[in-house]
Every structure is written in C-alpha cells, then in structure tokens.
Amino acid sequence: MRRHRMAGIPAALLMIALAACSGPGESQSGTAQDMGEAEPMGPEETYGTDQPVSPGDDPQSTFAVDVDTASYDYARRSLEDGVLPPADQIRPEEFVNYFDQGYAEPEGNGFAVSVDSAELPSWYDAGDATHVMRVGLQTRSEPESERADVNLTFVIDVSGSMDQDDRIGVVRDSLDLLVSRLRPTDAVAIVTYESDAEVLQRMTAVGNGEELRGAIDDLYARGSTNMQAGLEDGYALAGEAFDADKDNRVILLSDGEANVGITDHDEMLDALGEDVAEGITLLTVGVGDSYNQEMLEQLADNGDGWAVYFATESEAERVFSERLTSTLGVAARDAKIQVTFDETTVEAYRLIGFENRAIADYEFEDDSVDGGEVGPGHSVTALYALTLTGASGDVAQVGVRWRDPSGEHTGSAEAILPTSATSAYPDAHLSVDLVAAAFAEVLRGSAGFDCDDLLAAARELAETSEDPDVEELAALIAIASDLGA
C-alpha cells in the first residue's frame, strides 16, 4: 500500500472579520499571505480573524475540505450545562456543517458541486462586505445494505480522566450500541491505553458478539494517558488485519488529553509515520464535558478522517446509529477546494473558517498532498464574504479535486458563479448558514454583531422551519445571550 505524507499542516489564514455581542476582540493572526508562500504556523496562531484579501494580490483560496461537526456538538453541550464554551474550541465551518443544506446528490462517486450568492442581510455585520457566496459539495447517499464491510480498530482512552462524569461508561454504552448495529461480517478489534497500551481484543467478527461485549464490559478507567502508545498499537493491529475489500478504520475515543510520551499532535503523527497505511482512515470521537478538541481535530485531519463528539448515549446514537453509513464509509479521499476570484468583479473576499485546513495554491493539483475525507451522504459548505465592484462578469470559478475511495483514480469538478446569479435574498438554507456562522463568531469573541438582531433572525428562521435543528440553534443563541456572550 502507498504511504501518505504525514507532515504537519501547512497553514495560512483566510478568515472573515465578523463580530460578537460583547464588543471588539483582538485579532489572533496576521493578514492573509500569498498561499503559495505561506509558512506553517503554530497552534497559538491557528485561529483568529484576517483582513479582506484582494484578488489582485491573491486571486486563489485553497483548502482541504472538512466535514467535522465536533465544535458545534461540544458548544451545544456546554451551553446546555450553563457554560459558555472556550473561544478556542469554536470552528465556524463545523457550525455550518452541522445543518442540512438540501444539496442535490451526484449520480455516481465524488461530488455534486453548487455555488450561489446573495446580498448579506442587514443584521449581518461583515465590515465592507455586501454579499455572501456559498460553495457546496455533496456526496451520494448510500443505503446501509450497500456499504462495504468494515474492519474497525477501537483505540480507547482508559486513563484516570475518563472516570470523570462516567466518560468511560458513555464509551462502553456507545460501543455496545455500535456493535449491535454492525453486520455479522463486520469485524472489531479493541486497544486500550493509559500509562501504556494493551490489546484487549484482536480483530473479531461481529458474529462473535458475546466475545466482543465481554471485552467492552471490561473497560474501566485508571492511570495516566499515553495516547501515542495506544495509536501505535491500534494502527499496528489495523495493519495486520487490513483487507482491501473492506473499509479499514481506526476509531479513537478519548477526552483528548495526553500527558505521557509524545503529547503534541504533529509530533505524534510524524512518529507514527509508516504505521499509517494509505487505506486506513481515522475517526476521532471526543468524549465528555471537557476535552482537547484541537488534539483530536488535528489527528483526524492528518489521519485521513474526521472528528465527532458526544457526551451522552443519546448523542452517541446520532453518530453510531442514525449516521452509521456516513460515519464509517468513505466516498472521496483527499478532497480539496480551490476558488479563483475575478478582480474585475470582486474587490475583496474573506473565507469564514477553515483556517487550519489551508493549503498552498500550487498544491491543489498535487494528489500526494493530504486533503479531507468525506463519507457517503455528507455535505461540505464554505462561506465567503464578498465586496463586489459592481461590474458584470464571473465572480469566481470553483474547482474541486479528490481521489476515489480506492485511492487509485482522481476526480474533479468545476462550477462558475456569474454576477447575474447573485440573489437579493439568501434562501432558507443559506440563511441558516449565516446565523450559524455568526453564532460561532459570537462565541469566539469577534466584534460588531448585535445579539438581539442575531437572536431575532434565528427565531424568525425557527418559526418558518420544520427542522428541529434550526429550533435548537435559536434556543442555544438565547442561552448564550443570557450567559453574556
């Protein structure tokens, strides 16, 4: 199997200067640089707010796709517990990704690509920007009966911190739930780690359910947290059982804290190096009321996978039952987006979120550069705040590139947005996206939004929507406002 590059994430920031209720906040990053010359940035520089980018200076915005929703799930849990989530745990793109977009699905593998634009509503304060542009990707849904069998290697944190709030109990319940939803022809292995790692169960067919459940029942928390040792043993076990006709995945369940051995995500991935085979993807599952989101997100992004979060059995059911096929399957690998803006029609653009997914422009067509993995039935949405010149023509050209699930073939798609396609009002889905993105900016402390206006917009959407997730969004914004966001 071909080994993929496990280098640290290239980083350049293209971020919208949005706003929050509590007044001005300081930018945590510099002005966006030319993507082809950007230097990698440290974790403390990863998140912040950038200035608008002129297409005359840099016409292209390039980044790896991200389907994670962990940031929104964690924020919801914190707010329901009566606490504002830490600002550095907030990812605007993960808030937007949480909501249904209603995109059309492609007939085959890969992506259907859509792009649309509308004037920003009056309540949305984005500096000089007047319009929003949405780039949407959608993979084809796959019924459970059509998904490939899976080899799942669980790497489970059983350190002392997992005893808090009975996190280890939630893990046991979630694994019982998942095993009950799998097929007899699927297979599961279990590695645990605390001060050191232990292979609790080698790859075992789900048909032998009693043996697996016995191993799950033996999970209990103790000791320190040597995540590196757990991942090393997990990948080794997954590699031994690798089956090219199955989806092979390592699933890390942890609160994300590592205090023994290597504790930095980039160093950890570099140390794993050749142990990470091309055909093995990584799903990281954040567990508990507080966890190290950056660690789990970066591991997933660089381990050809994605990150989710749950703190209760009901939240685990959403991940491991309602979304089983999209959680376990892979529809596209190493997916990347490149948007090229026309300087005759666009004065400035700003990308909302995706700061730590940025890649150099010249790497877009380099299929050895790691992108994002996307499961069946997943959508990816990227929002840009635009300042238009008023001239007619094409606003932007969107290019998408990916490898098929086998990793052997490359696919691509394009879409163009002309100025004539810009609407005066955002549609229902885009309106939800704007509220979700603005809410993320409120929680991470940028400046300019009026909370009353944001809450009014959310409640208006909730009144006309039949989506309970939209009603929940309005309720969460109300809680955050009461907590002083």
Side-chain angles (χ1 to χ4, degrees):
M1 293 175 288
R2 181 170 66 90
R3 307 286 181 171
H4 67 68
R5 189 186 66 157
M6 296 302 297
I9 300 175
L13 306 182
L14 289 175
M15 186 55 203
I16 185 169
L18 292 178
C21 307
S22 55
E26 293 185 2
S27 171
Q28 299 174 3
S29 68
T31 303
Q33 304 176 45
D34 184 296
M35 299 294 290
E37 300 176 358
E39 295 294 329
M41 297 183 179
E44 73 279 359
E45 298 174 287
T46 300
Y47 301 105
T49 303
D50 269 344
Q51 299 301 313
V53 179
S54 167
D57 296 331
D58 181 5
Q60 293 185 316
S61 170
T62 310
F63 56 97
V65 305
D66 187 357
V67 297
D68 297 350
T69 59
S71 178
Y72 184 83
D73 287 320
Y74 178 63
R76 178 185 59 216
R77 179 68 178 180
S78 295
L79 291 168
E80 288 176 346
D81 287 343
V83 180
L84 289 173
D88 63 0
Q89 301 273 12
I90 304 301
R91 314 282 187 265
E93 70 275 18
E94 296 184 19
F95 276 50
V96 174
N97 274 341
Y98 185 84
F99 294 92
D100 176 62
Q101 302 293 329
Y103 297 138
E105 294 189 357
E107 295 182 359
N109 292 327
F111 296 101
V113 183
S114 63
V115 57
D116 61 344
S117 179
E119 294 180 16
L120 285 167
S122 59
W123 63 264
Y124 197 99
D125 186 346
D128 292 333
T130 57
H131 291 73
V132 60
M133 184 179 84
R134 174 176 55 174
V135 177
L137 309 183
Q138 178 71 52
T139 57
R140 182 172 61 89
S141 299
E142 184 178 81
E144 165 66 12
S145 60
E146 292 183 12
R147 75 162 172 86
D149 287 342
V150 294
N151 277 351
L152 305 179
T153 302
F154 289 98
V155 177
I156 302 170
D157 184 349
V158 293
S159 64
S161 63
M162 291 293 287
D163 206 27
Q164 298 176 24
D165 307 314
D166 195 29
R167 296 172 188 174
I168 196 66
V170 173
V171 168
R172 282 195 299 266
D173 291 342
S174 66
L175 292 185
D176 270 331
L177 173 67
L178 178 57
V179 169
S180 71
R181 297 293 194 270
L182 294 175
R183 303 172 186 154
T185 49
D186 294 325
V188 170
I190 299 175
V191 173
T192 61
Y193 68 90
E194 27 102 17
S195 301
D196 205 348
E198 177 186 359
V199 176
L200 196 64
Q201 184 75 33
R202 305 196 79 82
M203 197 64 71
T204 303
V206 173
N208 299 320
E210 292 305 313
E211 187 176 352
L212 285 171
R213 285 188 170 82
I216 293 170
D217 290 342
D218 285 342
L219 296 172
Y220 64 96
R222 73 272 184 191
S224 300
T225 314
N226 193 339
M227 184 183 292
Q228 173 70 17
L231 285 172
E232 284 179 347
D233 283 3
Y235 273 109
L237 199 58
E240 291 172 6
F242 182 86
D243 186 336
D245 293 326
K246 293 186 175 184
D247 280 332
N248 300 267
R249 186 178 296 272
V250 171
I251 301 180
L252 173 67
L253 296 103
S254 172
D255 57 15
E257 299 300 334
N259 54 28
V260 175
I262 297 175
T263 59
D264 175 78
H265 49 74
D266 283 341
E267 292 180 12
M268 195 178 295
L269 287 164
D270 287 341
L272 286 169
E274 292 298 307
D275 291 330
V276 184
E278 173 67 18
I280 300 175
T281 53
L282 176 66
L283 174 70
T284 63
V285 182
V287 181
D289 293 337
S290 62
Y291 79 114
N292 187 338
Q293 185 190 39
E294 182 183 5
M295 170 71 82
L296 297 183
E297 182 198 31
Q298 293 300 297
L299 286 171
D301 287 349
N302 281 269
D304 285 348
W306 49 86
V308 296
Y309 167 86
F310 56 66
T312 65
E313 186 178 359
S314 61
E315 292 169 355
E317 184 167 5
R318 181 184 179 105
V319 173
F320 283 156
S321 179
E322 296 175 19
R323 300 180 176 179
L324 180 65
T325 301
S326 61
T327 299
L328 299 183
V330 176
R333 299 182 184 274
D334 291 328
K336 294 168 282 189
I337 296 174
Q338 184 168 83
V339 181
T340 303
F341 292 95
D342 190 329
E343 64 179 306
T344 63
T345 59
V346 179
E347 181 178 325
Y349 66 88
R350 295 175 290 183
L351 174 62
I352 304 174
F354 292 96
E355 299 98 331
N356 64 344
R357 301 295 280 155
I359 61 177
D361 294 332
Y362 66 83
E363 293 182 316
F364 176 65
E365 295 186 356
D366 184 348
D367 294 329
S368 69
V369 173
D370 195 31
E373 274 55 47
V374 183
H378 264 142
S379 65
V380 179
T381 299
L383 301 180
Y384 287 87
L386 304 180
T387 304
L388 300 184
T389 65
S392 298
D394 291 337
V395 175
Q397 177 174 309
V398 177
V400 183
R401 193 174 179 89
W402 68 91
R403 293 188 299 123
D404 68 9
S406 71
E408 296 178 355
H409 305 287
T410 298
S412 63
E414 292 184 347
I416 293 176
L417 176 68
T419 54
S420 59
T422 296
S423 172
Y425 302 98
D427 67 16
H429 292 295
L430 183 51
S431 295
V432 173
D433 295 341
L434 287 170
V435 169
F439 185 35
E441 290 303 317
V442 165
L443 292 176
R444 70 178 190 173
S446 299
F449 277 115
D450 182 281
C451 268
D452 291 338
D453 289 346
L454 176 58
L455 183 55
R459 285 174 169 166
E460 183 178 348
L461 287 173
E463 289 175 0
T464 58
S465 174
E466 297 181 357
D467 186 348
D469 289 337
V470 178
E471 297 177 9
E472 180 184 66
L473 174 62
L476 293 176
I477 293 173
I479 293 173
S481 179
D482 289 341
L483 292 172

PDB file of all heavy atoms in Angstrom, residues 33 42 85 117 156 161 179 200 224 231 236-237 288 414 422 455 475 484:
ATOM      1  N   GLN A  33      -1.628  35.817   3.829  1.00  0.00           N
ATOM      2  CA  GLN A  33      -0.476  35.849   2.955  1.00  0.00           C
ATOM      3  C   GLN A  33      -0.776  35.150   1.647  1.00  0.00           C
ATOM      4  O   GLN A  33      -1.771  34.466   1.509  1.00  0.00           O
ATOM      5  CB  GLN A  33       0.701  35.140   3.641  1.00  0.00           C
ATOM      6  CG  GLN A  33       1.041  35.721   5.019  1.00  0.00           C
ATOM      7  CD  GLN A  33       2.142  34.914   5.675  1.00  0.00           C
ATOM      8  OE1 GLN A  33       3.131  34.585   5.044  1.00  0.00           O
ATOM      9  NE2 GLN A  33       1.962  34.604   6.927  1.00  0.00           N
ATOM     10  N   GLY A  42       2.174  27.951  14.270  1.00  0.00           N
ATOM     11  CA  GLY A  42       1.992  27.155  15.466  1.00  0.00           C
ATOM     12  C   GLY A  42       0.556  27.156  15.912  1.00  0.00           C
ATOM     13  O   GLY A  42      -0.263  27.962  15.450  1.00  0.00           O
ATOM     14  N   PRO A  85     -18.765  27.940  25.924  1.00  0.00           N
ATOM     15  CA  PRO A  85     -17.614  27.120  25.521  1.00  0.00           C
ATOM     16  C   PRO A  85     -16.371  27.989  25.347  1.00  0.00           C
ATOM     17  O   PRO A  85     -16.482  29.176  25.027  1.00  0.00           O
ATOM     18  CB  PRO A  85     -18.057  26.518  24.188  1.00  0.00           C
ATOM     19  CG  PRO A  85     -19.058  27.486  23.650  1.00  0.00           C
ATOM     20  CD  PRO A  85     -19.765  28.048  24.853  1.00  0.00           C
ATOM     21  N   SER A 117     -24.985  32.835  -4.421  1.00  0.00           N
ATOM     22  CA  SER A 117     -24.612  34.073  -3.749  1.00  0.00           C
ATOM     23  C   SER A 117     -25.854  34.914  -3.506  1.00  0.00           C
ATOM     24  O   SER A 117     -26.841  34.820  -4.237  1.00  0.00           O
ATOM     25  CB  SER A 117     -23.612  34.863  -4.604  1.00  0.00           C
ATOM     26  OG  SER A 117     -23.259  36.081  -3.990  1.00  0.00           O
ATOM     27  N   ILE A 156      -9.046   3.065  22.749  1.00  0.00           N
ATOM     28  CA  ILE A 156      -9.893   3.631  23.796  1.00  0.00           C
ATOM     29  C   ILE A 156      -9.051   4.146  24.949  1.00  0.00           C
ATOM     30  O   ILE A 156      -8.231   3.425  25.528  1.00  0.00           O
ATOM     31  CB  ILE A 156     -10.892   2.574  24.304  1.00  0.00           C
ATOM     32  CG1 ILE A 156     -11.742   2.051  23.137  1.00  0.00           C
ATOM     33  CG2 ILE A 156     -11.785   3.159  25.384  1.00  0.00           C
ATOM     34  CD1 ILE A 156     -12.584   0.855  23.481  1.00  0.00           C
ATOM     35  N   SER A 161      -8.653  10.325  33.748  1.00  0.00           N
ATOM     36  CA  SER A 161      -9.575  11.410  33.416  1.00  0.00           C
ATOM     37  C   SER A 161     -10.873  10.897  32.803  1.00  0.00           C
ATOM     38  O   SER A 161     -11.898  11.582  32.855  1.00  0.00           O
ATOM     39  CB  SER A 161      -8.903  12.391  32.446  1.00  0.00           C
ATOM     40  OG  SER A 161      -8.594  11.771  31.213  1.00  0.00           O
ATOM     41  N   VAL A 179     -21.802  -1.999  18.104  1.00  0.00           N
ATOM     42  CA  VAL A 179     -21.692  -3.431  17.783  1.00  0.00           C
ATOM     43  C   VAL A 179     -23.059  -4.008  17.447  1.00  0.00           C
ATOM     44  O   VAL A 179     -23.192  -4.840  16.543  1.00  0.00           O
ATOM     45  CB  VAL A 179     -21.026  -4.191  18.951  1.00  0.00           C
ATOM     46  CG1 VAL A 179     -21.149  -5.699  18.753  1.00  0.00           C
ATOM     47  CG2 VAL A 179     -19.549  -3.800  19.065  1.00  0.00           C
ATOM     48  N   LEU A 200      -6.729  -5.435  23.901  1.00  0.00           N
ATOM     49  CA  LEU A 200      -7.786  -6.102  24.675  1.00  0.00           C
ATOM     50  C   LEU A 200      -8.503  -7.155  23.857  1.00  0.00           C
ATOM     51  O   LEU A 200      -8.940  -8.180  24.387  1.00  0.00           O
ATOM     52  CB  LEU A 200      -8.777  -5.043  25.168  1.00  0.00           C
ATOM     53  CG  LEU A 200      -9.739  -5.445  26.283  1.00  0.00           C
ATOM     54  CD1 LEU A 200      -8.967  -5.774  27.553  1.00  0.00           C
ATOM     55  CD2 LEU A 200     -10.732  -4.309  26.553  1.00  0.00           C
ATOM     56  N   SER A 224      -2.318   7.051  33.803  1.00  0.00           N
ATOM     57  CA  SER A 224      -2.002   8.252  33.030  1.00  0.00           C
ATOM     58  C   SER A 224      -2.502   8.081  31.602  1.00  0.00           C
ATOM     59  O   SER A 224      -3.285   7.175  31.306  1.00  0.00           O
ATOM     60  CB  SER A 224      -0.492   8.504  33.066  1.00  0.00           C
ATOM     61  OG  SER A 224      -0.043   8.696  34.393  1.00  0.00           O
ATOM     62  N   LEU A 231      -2.235   4.637  19.925  1.00  0.00           N
ATOM     63  CA  LEU A 231      -2.349   4.750  18.471  1.00  0.00           C
ATOM     64  C   LEU A 231      -1.351   3.841  17.757  1.00  0.00           C
ATOM     65  O   LEU A 231      -1.669   3.256  16.715  1.00  0.00           O
ATOM     66  CB  LEU A 231      -2.157   6.201  18.043  1.00  0.00           C
ATOM     67  CG  LEU A 231      -3.336   7.132  18.322  1.00  0.00           C
ATOM     68  CD1 LEU A 231      -2.968   8.583  18.037  1.00  0.00           C
ATOM     69  CD2 LEU A 231      -4.563   6.728  17.503  1.00  0.00           C
ATOM     70  N   ALA A 236      -0.979  -0.684  14.288  1.00  0.00           N
ATOM     71  CA  ALA A 236      -0.320  -1.960  14.014  1.00  0.00           C
ATOM     72  C   ALA A 236      -1.350  -3.072  13.889  1.00  0.00           C
ATOM     73  O   ALA A 236      -1.285  -3.916  12.978  1.00  0.00           O
ATOM     74  CB  ALA A 236       0.683  -2.281  15.116  1.00  0.00           C
ATOM     75  N   LEU A 237      -2.331  -3.080  14.771  1.00  0.00           N
ATOM     76  CA  LEU A 237      -3.378  -4.103  14.741  1.00  0.00           C
ATOM     77  C   LEU A 237      -4.233  -3.948  13.488  1.00  0.00           C
ATOM     78  O   LEU A 237      -4.581  -4.944  12.832  1.00  0.00           O
ATOM     79  CB  LEU A 237      -4.238  -3.970  15.999  1.00  0.00           C
ATOM     80  CG  LEU A 237      -5.093  -5.169  16.419  1.00  0.00           C
ATOM     81  CD1 LEU A 237      -4.225  -6.393  16.643  1.00  0.00           C
ATOM     82  CD2 LEU A 237      -5.872  -4.829  17.686  1.00  0.00           C
ATOM     83  N   GLY A 288     -17.020  13.481  26.716  1.00  0.00           N
ATOM     84  CA  GLY A 288     -17.023  14.170  27.997  1.00  0.00           C
ATOM     85  C   GLY A 288     -17.358  15.638  27.909  1.00  0.00           C
ATOM     86  O   GLY A 288     -17.424  16.227  26.834  1.00  0.00           O
ATOM     87  N   GLU A 414     -16.027  21.339 -11.567  1.00  0.00           N
ATOM     88  CA  GLU A 414     -15.927  22.784 -11.548  1.00  0.00           C
ATOM     89  C   GLU A 414     -17.314  23.417 -11.568  1.00  0.00           C
ATOM     90  O   GLU A 414     -18.284  22.792 -12.020  1.00  0.00           O
ATOM     91  CB  GLU A 414     -15.124  23.306 -12.748  1.00  0.00           C
ATOM     92  CG  GLU A 414     -13.655  22.950 -12.731  1.00  0.00           C
ATOM     93  CD  GLU A 414     -12.900  23.561 -13.886  1.00  0.00           C
ATOM     94  OE1 GLU A 414     -13.575  24.060 -14.822  1.00  0.00           O
ATOM     95  OE2 GLU A 414     -11.657  23.566 -13.870  1.00  0.00           O
ATOM     96  N   THR A 422     -26.424  36.263  -8.683  1.00  0.00           N
ATOM     97  CA  THR A 422     -26.489  36.724  -7.299  1.00  0.00           C
ATOM     98  C   THR A 422     -27.911  37.154  -6.956  1.00  0.00           C
ATOM     99  O   THR A 422     -28.531  37.931  -7.668  1.00  0.00           O
ATOM    100  CB  THR A 422     -25.518  37.895  -7.075  1.00  0.00           C
ATOM    101  OG1 THR A 422     -24.184  37.440  -7.278  1.00  0.00           O
ATOM    102  CG2 THR A 422     -25.642  38.451  -5.672  1.00  0.00           C
ATOM    103  N   LEU A 455     -30.370  37.010  17.484  1.00  0.00           N
ATOM    104  CA  LEU A 455     -31.400  36.160  18.085  1.00  0.00           C
ATOM    105  C   LEU A 455     -32.732  36.319  17.358  1.00  0.00           C
ATOM    106  O   LEU A 455     -33.447  35.336  17.125  1.00  0.00           O
ATOM    107  CB  LEU A 455     -31.559  36.514  19.561  1.00  0.00           C
ATOM    108  CG  LEU A 455     -32.555  35.675  20.365  1.00  0.00           C
ATOM    109  CD1 LEU A 455     -32.226  34.196  20.262  1.00  0.00           C
ATOM    110  CD2 LEU A 455     -32.565  36.114  21.826  1.00  0.00           C
ATOM    111  N   ALA A 475     -32.581  28.365  20.238  1.00  0.00           N
ATOM    112  CA  ALA A 475     -32.578  28.196  21.693  1.00  0.00           C
ATOM    113  C   ALA A 475     -31.170  28.337  22.265  1.00  0.00           C
ATOM    114  O   ALA A 475     -30.974  28.936  23.334  1.00  0.00           O
ATOM    115  CB  ALA A 475     -33.161  26.828  22.054  1.00  0.00           C
ATOM    116  N   GLY A 484     -24.161  35.995  28.646  1.00  0.00           N
ATOM    117  CA  GLY A 484     -23.289  37.148  28.435  1.00  0.00           C
ATOM    118  C   GLY A 484     -22.356  37.040  27.253  1.00  0.00           C
ATOM    119  O   GLY A 484     -21.342  37.748  27.210  1.00  0.00           O
TER     120      GLY A 484
END
